[in-house]
Amino acid sequence: MIKCIFLSEFHHTQGPIISHQVPKDYVPKEIFDSIHNFIITKSDLQNRLIIVSSFGLKYVGCPIYINDTKYKRNAFIFNVCFTFEEETDTSPYAPLVKKLANYLTQLEIELEFLSGSGNNERVPQFLKQVLHGLNQEKCCNINMATSCTVHLKLATSIHEPIAVEDHDVPCLIVPRDVMSKHQWDLTTQQVLHYVDGLSHVKKIAAEADVELNLVKANLQNLLYNKFITMVSIFQYSNVYTVTRNINKLIEDNHLQKECIKFVAKSDRSPPEFRDVYMMYCAFTPGTTVKTLCTRQINPHALKIDERKLVQFGLMKGLLRRMQKYPLALPGESVTSRVQPLLPWLDGRHNFDQISCETGISHHELDDKIDADDSIVICWK
Amino acid sequence: MAHDLNPVAVLLVTSGTRGNRVLFRYPYLQEIEPEMTVKQATKEVKKNPYAISIAQNLQDGQKAKPLLSSFIKDGVLVGFSNETLANFLIVKSELCGKQFSVQIDDVRFVGYPMSLSNLSRNQQSQQNASRQHNILAVNVVFVLRANLPESVSTCYQELAQQLSVAITCEEKRCEYLTREAKIMLVAYDEASVTGDDDMVSTMRVIVHHSNLAKELQLVFERLVADGQVIFYLNQWVEINFCLPHKIHGLNSLGKNLSLEPIYRCLSYLRPYHGILLTRPEQELLQFLPLDSSPAMTRLIQLTKPVKNLKTLALETDLSITQIYQLVCHMVYWGYAMLIYPLCQSNVYILSPSADTAVNSQLSQEFSMCFHGLQLMQEMARFSFPSHMHDNLDVLSYSSPRLIDQFNQVVVWMLQHRLINQLHTYVNLIPARRKEFSPSSAGSHSNMSSTHSSNSSMQVIEESFLSVLMEDPGTITLDRTTSMSDLASVNSEESTGGQSTAQSITQYTSQHSKSPSQEANSEGSAAEDRKAQWRLQDTLLNELKPQLKQAIVLCPASKNPDDLRLFAKLCPYFNGKHHLEEMMFYENLSRSQLLALLDKFKEVLILCQHEDPATSLL
């Protein structure tokens, strides 16, 4: 939440001052005077993003120098600072501050927007629009001149996009009707149609008849914007284990309802909560889904869809997939059947990765590796 | 996303009568003329990056790039001249004595400026003040990567504060800073006299001559090495600091970096936990400062992985709160980790963060410690929940030395966080009444052999409720209520449409199964039953009626002892307390507890996962 935006400039007689501020008088003069060397800096720090914390507030700004002989001191120095409370994570705002500084530089050069005398009303008006837009809508588009519109959008998170693998399964975390309200490009629309929480990326690409890398790029975009989440592919040979978060399911009534609705085999007869909980607790290391469903619990009789149960568990962190890592013991020779697999048996590759890279099915891999005594398997 | 936790540089900045100066900067590196004329640089600012770029502009845009390049090159701070740094790291006096944090692009400066101007100096220096360089403010600053999480920079800020305050204190005591600053300034002056621009050799001279510079260099090197700094500044003021993120190897967990897991572990500390030293006892004792508490020494000497904190408290003759404090301290510093005391019934499993790579350094270390064993095989053994050593092992390796070795292996793996202990948690979740409705009677009647049929259960349940609904006063008067009376009440209450006769027969058949009441006559049987219900009611008073019903339906609830124990343990059945905790607090044996859980298995669901106190996950 931005508390205040102020425009500070170097006045030719008064030195650094706050020329405009919305809301008014949020940053008192005394405080500004003690930190102004970080806001109107020496020229060697110009155009750098500077974040200062002091007196319980955090100031994010970017000092700009515009050199021109028309200005009184041959340069116009200004800085638009966003002010936050000290605990605020300002990283999403940092690029916005820089972008805004660039817009204002442009507007100043072309229209003397900041230094011109006739704009005493427009500048605070503009800052107010930015403040309200970013705080309420998380974005703003302000038309400043015939050829300049200020577009600012607050990103939800700033990180490198996570790579999407062939065997990942995308799951929607936003209801489908909300999804369809957004204006997606044609490819995304086509891909979205096949995102059902069960098919993996490669399958989606085949079904949607879209090139695999395009699908990945699309899904990566959706993942980045938190419309989908990735879970591991469901197989009956998978092993899952319940995590400590399972207590959330007991305590959080909302999650409970969501869970029961999600894992139900049919909408009309939802399963008992006790059964769902019991089934989650039955996921222990060493028990495959297959064993669980055939020997211990009959999910059909309990009106539970085991695929969805696993999917929900993974999405909410109630379950954790246990991966199988084959390791070739050093100093022992492997049989010729396993020889071609040796590069993958270094303990860094799990079964999913090996299958994907070599095209050998889990079952076949199991057969080959079980037959060899010099290979041990770690589950983690 | 492993972060580089090391600081980029440490700076000592002072402001005095002769202006602001960076007195010391480590590590130092000769910069290859980063100077770019200001005019050139400012031209670039005019370009709007969102404007369509025309071919001409493209070249300018490329020129602008070096200006906005990173301040960190090969892990060393570059791009700042000493003058620039001195100017913004010395702040106005209003900001002195407060934490200081400024981020410029991709570097962050955290420090603690202290004002020295109000120090009472002796007469001599008062007079010299006008002639000499007089230090007015000092700031010790750590330069960090800007992408480091808040909790890490807060830690560095604390260290900067410790150093600043210590330097100020020493300045007050014996003008330490003035003396050291003189040495440093002489080195700078000499460099400027010889016209030598080489900062590296100047800094080398400073480190050689100045004690303070040496100390700051040591701080930096210790931070890079293991994140622990313990020394006496000027052999007088103790500086102790540790970067828990680094000590606990949190960045290898690959999660978001925060101290939350450590604080969470400590908040779950209970008297039944034990501690496991991460280093040999002797090494730890040497590491303790001279004035450390003797209680700490005693605790370290007496600690064994099989003892819990309560035992340790008794043995060290300390209160449990004191033990807690010492343990929290040790855990924070990475000298110890919390475990559940080792015992044969503990179940361990491979940690998801364990490194399974074949030729990892860890596996080599393991082979050094345990000859003839391979880490991978041990890890494979813990792929599935396993005890410390299987019973089979005990048979096949009859020699106690081998068993001992197995225990050592488990300890070693725990120390390296390769395995986690699994605990069993219990949840009290009854099935809904619907399950017992006559419609599903067929599927359940053969399941529970102790109940004659489901309809009987319903009857009992309702009669139980009917007693509960009665006014307690009337119950005491009604001690002689006959069987038939009760049955008629049942039939009135019953909506299932069962005939009175049927319910009576089922009732009595049910009753005959309870051995404790077999000796009673028919007339007083009902009375006893009521007494039992009342007992059940008072015991299970805290619970919701729905839960109560379900518990009473369990056959074991007819046995008052079982029911009493169950009622006592009820608060633990919320998925937050493991069996070991119940055993510890309620003084039960494992077999007793397991038997009880088995008797009430209809309403309980068991779940296995890690204890939040002993696992960093």
Side-chain angles (χ1 to χ4, degrees):
Chain A
M1 199 72 166
I2 307 171
K3 290 287 165 196
C4 160
I5 301 181
F6 64 85
L7 175 77
S8 165
E9 58 186 89
F10 191 84
H11 192 271
H12 57 96
T13 55
Q14 296 169 24
I17 52 158
I18 296 182
S19 48
H20 299 289
Q21 184 171 180
V22 282
K24 276 205 167 108
D25 300 326
Y26 189 81
V27 180
K29 190 166 185 308
E30 305 81 63
I31 290 186
F32 177 74
D33 282 346
S34 61
I35 56 159
H36 70 68
N37 58 327
F38 299 106
I39 289 169
I40 299 297
T41 60
K42 296 262 156 53
S43 63
D44 42 9
L45 292 178
Q46 61 171 305
N47 219 3
R48 297 281 189 184
L49 184 80
I50 298 181
I51 304 172
V52 193
S53 320
S54 75
F55 300 113
L57 293 175
K58 219 169 180 179
Y59 306 89
V60 184
C62 179
I64 301 285
Y65 276 60
I66 300 174
N67 287 9
D68 201 315
T69 44
K70 71 180 175 188
Y71 298 117
K72 289 247 165 64
R73 292 216 176 184
N74 289 335
F76 182 65
I77 311 167
F78 75 93
N79 188 349
V80 184
C81 277
F82 286 18
T83 310
F84 301 92
E85 276 172 7
E86 196 157 19
E87 301 77 30
T88 319
D89 175 22
T90 52
S91 54
Y93 294 94
L96 295 187
V97 171
K98 259 198 143 154
K99 192 175 176 183
L100 185 61
N102 276 317
Y103 273 125
L104 289 173
T105 313
Q106 192 67 11
L107 287 166
E108 171 61 26
I109 292 168
E110 289 171 2
L111 305 164
E112 297 192 349
F113 178 66
L114 298 175
S115 64
S117 52
N119 284 331
N120 273 340
E121 293 294 312
R122 270 193 81 192
V123 176
Q125 190 59 35
F126 168 73
L127 294 180
K128 201 176 256 175
Q129 274 177 300
V130 173
L131 180 76
H132 284 271
L134 287 180
N135 276 348
Q136 272 148 31
E137 315 277 333
K138 300 214 181 296
C139 70
C140 64
N141 304 299
I142 303 161
N143 203 351
M144 297 304 297
T146 41
S147 63
C148 180
T149 308
V150 175
H151 297 284
L152 296 172
K153 187 177 194 307
L154 196 62
T156 43
S157 61
I158 298 191
H159 58 81
E160 282 288 298
I162 304 157
V164 174
E165 301 283 337
D166 287 354
H167 54 82
D168 283 337
V169 177
C171 286
L172 286 181
I173 43 180
V174 173
R176 203 172 271 278
D177 45 322
V178 176
M179 284 295 284
S180 49
K181 276 186 196 145
H182 291 262
Q183 291 178 341
W184 300 108
D185 58 279
L186 289 176
T187 324
T188 308
Q189 284 181 23
Q190 198 169 348
V191 169
L192 262 184
H193 185 70
Y194 294 94
V195 174
D196 54 0
L198 299 174
S199 345
H200 58 276
V201 176
K202 220 169 176 175
K203 192 176 169 195
I204 291 173
E207 283 182 341
D209 199 18
V210 177
E211 206 263 325
L212 181 63
N213 286 318
L214 266 180
V215 176
K216 280 190 187 173
N218 263 314
L219 292 174
Q220 200 171 36
N221 180 40
L222 291 174
L223 186 65
Y224 185 84
N225 288 307
K226 303 221 167 92
F227 286 109
I228 58 170
T229 175
M230 289 291 177
V231 298
S232 75
I233 192 164
F234 179 84
Q235 293 167 114
Y236 281 95
S237 59
N238 283 355
V239 175
Y240 300 91
T241 177
V242 67
T243 69
R244 203 171 57 232
N245 293 338
I246 192 71
N247 281 339
K248 273 193 215 154
L249 198 60
I250 298 273
E251 288 154 11
D252 187 346
N253 265 328
H254 184 72
L255 185 71
Q256 241 176 57
K257 279 185 193 130
E258 192 186 340
C259 176
I260 289 173
K261 202 174 156 208
F262 194 95
V263 305
K265 245 188 136 47
S266 80
D267 292 338
R268 269 167 298 164
S269 57
E272 286 274 337
F273 172 70
R274 180 190 152 90
D275 297 333
V276 174
Y277 185 80
M278 195 167 65
M279 185 142 173
Y280 273 125
C281 289
F283 283 101
T284 51
T287 322
T288 61
V289 183
K290 189 179 159 192
T291 330
L292 189 79
C293 291
T294 50
R295 307 242 175 96
Q296 302 181 7
I297 291 171
N298 182 359
H300 293 268
L302 301 175
K303 296 175 274 189
I304 296 172
D305 185 335
E306 67 276 9
R307 281 181 158 216
K308 289 196 169 160
L309 183 100
V310 168
Q311 193 191 340
F312 188 85
L314 289 176
M315 276 162 62
K316 301 288 174 190
L318 310 175
L319 290 182
R320 178 170 69 77
R321 167 99 188 263
M322 290 195 75
Q323 296 280 10
K324 203 172 177 184
Y325 290 82
L327 296 110
L329 294 176
E332 287 184 45
S333 55
V334 294
T335 53
S336 56
R337 281 183 75 199
V338 190
Q339 200 68 47
L341 293 175
L342 209 54
W344 284 285
L345 305 180
D346 60 353
R348 291 198 172 87
H349 294 88
N350 56 39
F351 261 48
D352 275 5
Q353 285 162 333
I354 299 173
S355 302
C356 232
E357 303 233 350
T358 57
I360 302 173
S361 74
H362 267 235
H363 190 69
E364 243 176 296
L365 262 180
D366 259 338
D367 278 352
K368 283 187 180 178
I369 283 167
D370 282 348
D372 201 318
D373 288 339
S374 65
I375 298 173
V376 293
I377 288 177
C378 284
W379 291 86
K380 68 171 185 184
Chain B
M1 44 179 246
H3 291 277
D4 190 348
L5 296 174
N6 299 335
V8 180
V10 57
L11 306 167
L12 177 69
V13 200
T14 57
S15 112
T17 42
R18 286 195 218 159
N20 302 342
R21 293 210 69 153
V22 173
L23 278 185
F24 183 64
R25 175 174 179 171
Y26 186 86
Y28 33 81
L29 185 85
Q30 188 62 35
E31 288 180 34
I32 315 131
E33 274 312 301
E35 286 308 308
M36 207 175 172
T37 55
V38 174
K39 273 179 197 164
Q40 227 185 346
T42 42
K43 235 193 271 172
E44 264 62 72
V45 180
K46 288 180 186 175
K47 296 293 158 291
N48 182 348
Y50 307 101
I52 298 163
S53 56
I54 315 160
Q56 270 180 322
N57 290 6
L58 201 65
Q59 261 187 332
D60 293 337
Q62 282 164 345
K63 252 192 237 162
K65 265 186 184 162
L67 177 75
L68 293 173
S69 64
S70 166
F71 283 122
I72 301 167
K73 205 173 116 198
D74 304 328
V76 180
L77 182 71
V78 294
F80 285 108
S81 67
N82 278 356
E83 288 71 40
T84 314
L85 288 173
N87 275 333
F88 76 81
L89 293 177
I90 286 299
V91 295
K92 296 253 157 67
S93 56
E94 301 93 75
L95 292 177
C96 282
K98 289 199 176 77
Q99 292 186 335
F100 167 87
S101 161
V102 169
Q103 186 183 327
I104 299 180
D105 271 9
D106 60 346
V107 284
R108 184 166 179 174
F109 298 84
V110 295
Y112 195 82
M114 289 284 285
S115 170
L116 299 176
S117 52
N118 54 358
L119 292 188
S120 57
R121 289 163 188 277
N122 57 37
Q123 203 68 34
Q124 181 84 38
S125 57
Q126 283 281 353
Q127 286 170 348
N128 289 347
S130 53
R131 284 184 286 118
Q132 248 185 338
H133 176 74
N134 210 345
I135 297 169
L136 299 174
V138 63
N139 195 359
V140 179
V141 177
F142 285 99
V143 185
L144 312 170
R145 288 167 177 81
N147 60 359
L148 279 188
E150 200 66 30
S151 64
V152 181
S153 48
T154 313
C155 284
Y156 277 115
Q157 195 139 39
E158 274 164 25
L159 178 58
Q161 182 170 352
Q162 277 195 38
L163 289 168
S164 274
V165 171
I167 289 173
T168 315
C169 175
E170 281 302 277
E171 172 69 13
K172 227 185 269 184
R173 191 176 68 94
C174 59
E175 301 201 330
Y176 183 55
L177 182 63
T178 314
R179 210 169 60 223
E180 295 295 316
K182 225 177 266 171
I183 299 173
M184 295 180 197
L185 287 172
V186 166
Y188 283 115
D189 288 347
E190 268 173 19
S192 64
V193 165
T194 54
D196 195 2
D197 247 9
D198 184 15
M199 279 298 286
V200 178
S201 62
T202 315
M203 287 298 176
R204 217 166 271 151
V205 170
I206 290 176
V207 171
H208 190 73
H209 291 293
S210 159
N211 192 29
L212 181 59
K214 245 177 255 164
E215 283 165 343
L216 289 177
Q217 183 188 14
L218 171 97
V219 167
F220 185 86
E221 278 165 0
R222 294 298 299 158
L223 285 173
V224 172
D226 55 8
Q228 286 186 353
V229 181
I230 300 179
F231 75 104
Y232 288 86
L233 188 96
N234 196 22
Q235 292 168 342
W236 193 264
V237 185
E238 190 190 353
I239 302 285
N240 61 51
F241 169 81
C242 78
L243 188 64
H245 305 77
K246 189 151 183 156
I247 290 168
H248 295 272
L250 287 178
N251 50 344
S252 64
L253 284 177
K255 281 193 175 175
N256 53 341
L257 210 54
S258 68
L259 285 183
E260 191 266 327
I262 295 168
Y263 290 135
R264 189 201 58 215
C265 277
L266 295 180
S267 71
Y268 282 103
L269 190 59
R270 299 285 182 274
Y272 54 80
H273 283 126
I275 49 174
L276 183 61
L277 301 180
T278 49
R279 307 166 188 217
E281 184 188 312
Q282 282 311 315
E283 206 180 299
L284 268 189
L285 290 175
Q286 280 170 9
F287 209 77
L288 293 177
L290 290 173
D291 57 348
S292 66
S293 146
M296 182 69 112
T297 321
R298 232 177 320 152
L299 177 66
I300 292 175
Q301 280 165 343
L302 287 168
T303 294
K304 289 259 159 51
V306 289
K307 291 179 188 166
N308 62 25
L309 297 183
K310 196 183 165 198
T311 321
L312 281 173
L314 288 174
E315 287 183 6
T316 53
D317 201 20
L318 295 170
S319 73
I320 192 82
T321 27
Q322 249 175 316
I323 291 279
Y324 278 171
Q325 279 165 354
L326 291 174
V327 166
C328 287
H329 193 67
M330 284 166 82
V331 170
Y332 184 85
W333 278 75
Y335 295 153
M337 52 198 295
L338 287 181
I339 53 165
Y340 183 80
L342 298 184
C343 67
Q344 182 52 45
S345 54
N346 286 0
V347 178
Y348 298 98
I349 186 148
L350 196 62
S351 157
S353 60
D355 179 15
T356 47
V358 169
N359 280 319
S360 63
Q361 206 190 336
L362 214 55
S363 65
Q364 282 162 15
E365 267 176 49
F366 182 85
S367 306
M368 296 276 277
C369 293
F370 304 98
H371 290 288
L373 287 179
Q374 277 187 322
L375 180 61
M376 279 170 289
Q377 273 174 328
E378 295 309 312
M379 289 203 289
R381 199 159 63 89
F382 286 106
S383 280
F384 302 105
S386 331
H387 293 290
M388 283 190 46
H389 42 79
D390 295 330
N391 290 332
L392 253 182
D393 291 336
V394 182
L395 291 177
S396 52
Y397 305 107
S398 45
S399 98
R401 199 184 60 80
L402 270 166
I403 301 288
D404 190 49
Q405 195 185 26
F406 270 118
N407 295 344
Q408 292 295 327
V409 168
V410 171
V411 169
W412 193 90
M413 288 174 90
L414 277 172
Q415 276 172 342
H416 292 82
R417 294 208 182 274
L418 291 178
I419 49 176
N420 283 329
Q421 189 177 352
L422 284 179
H423 291 272
T424 305
Y425 292 80
V426 186
N427 256 301
L428 177 62
I429 303 180
R432 258 197 233 157
R433 266 184 70 188
K434 206 168 68 178
E435 204 179 310
F436 298 100
S437 65
S439 62
S440 61
S443 62
H444 287 283
S445 56
N446 45 6
M447 188 182 81
S448 48
S449 53
T450 41
H451 300 298
S452 52
S453 82
N454 290 291
S455 48
S456 80
M457 282 193 275
Q458 198 173 12
V459 172
I460 296 164
E461 186 184 330
E462 273 159 9
S463 52
F464 166 63
L465 284 176
S466 69
V467 172
L468 294 185
M469 272 180 258
E470 278 176 46
D471 186 45
T474 54
I475 292 173
T476 40
L477 290 175
D478 239 340
R479 278 212 169 271
T480 50
T481 320
S482 72
M483 192 71 197
S484 57
D485 281 345
L486 194 66
S488 65
V489 173
N490 288 342
S491 64
E492 275 164 32
E493 294 282 334
S494 166
T495 48
Q498 270 111 11
S499 71
T500 315
Q502 194 190 354
S503 55
I504 289 171
T505 49
Q506 271 156 357
Y507 198 63
T508 44
S509 73
Q510 184 69 32
H511 160 67
S512 65
K513 278 185 183 152
S514 176
S516 58
Q517 291 172 358
E518 255 170 349
N520 292 345
S521 69
E522 192 77 342
S524 62
E527 188 184 314
D528 283 346
R529 184 157 299 280
K530 272 193 174 181
Q532 188 199 331
W533 286 332
R534 229 163 279 128
L535 173 73
Q536 287 172 346
D537 188 43
T538 46
L539 284 178
L540 306 173
N541 216 3
E542 303 291 306
L543 300 169
K544 288 185 196 142
Q546 231 181 339
L547 278 175
K548 241 186 274 180
Q549 284 172 29
I551 294 163
V552 172
L553 280 177
C554 291
S557 66
K558 306 293 173 297
N559 183 337
D561 290 340
D562 283 346
L563 190 70
R564 209 166 272 136
L565 184 57
F566 184 86
K568 198 161 90 176
L569 292 178
C570 257
Y572 295 98
F573 297 152
N574 59 2
K576 287 180 189 155
H577 306 275
H578 46 70
L579 301 187
E580 286 77 14
E581 184 168 348
M582 298 177 211
M583 283 156 54
F584 178 83
Y585 282 125
E586 300 300 333
N587 199 17
L588 288 170
S589 73
R590 184 174 290 271
S591 53
Q592 258 178 310
L593 182 59
L594 288 178
L596 180 85
L597 294 180
D598 191 55
K599 280 177 195 162
F600 287 91
K601 65 172 180 254
E602 280 88 357
V603 288
L604 298 175
I605 297 179
L606 305 188
C607 183
Q608 266 196 334
H609 52 76
E610 294 95 1
D611 182 350
T614 56
S615 142
L616 277 185
L617 289 175

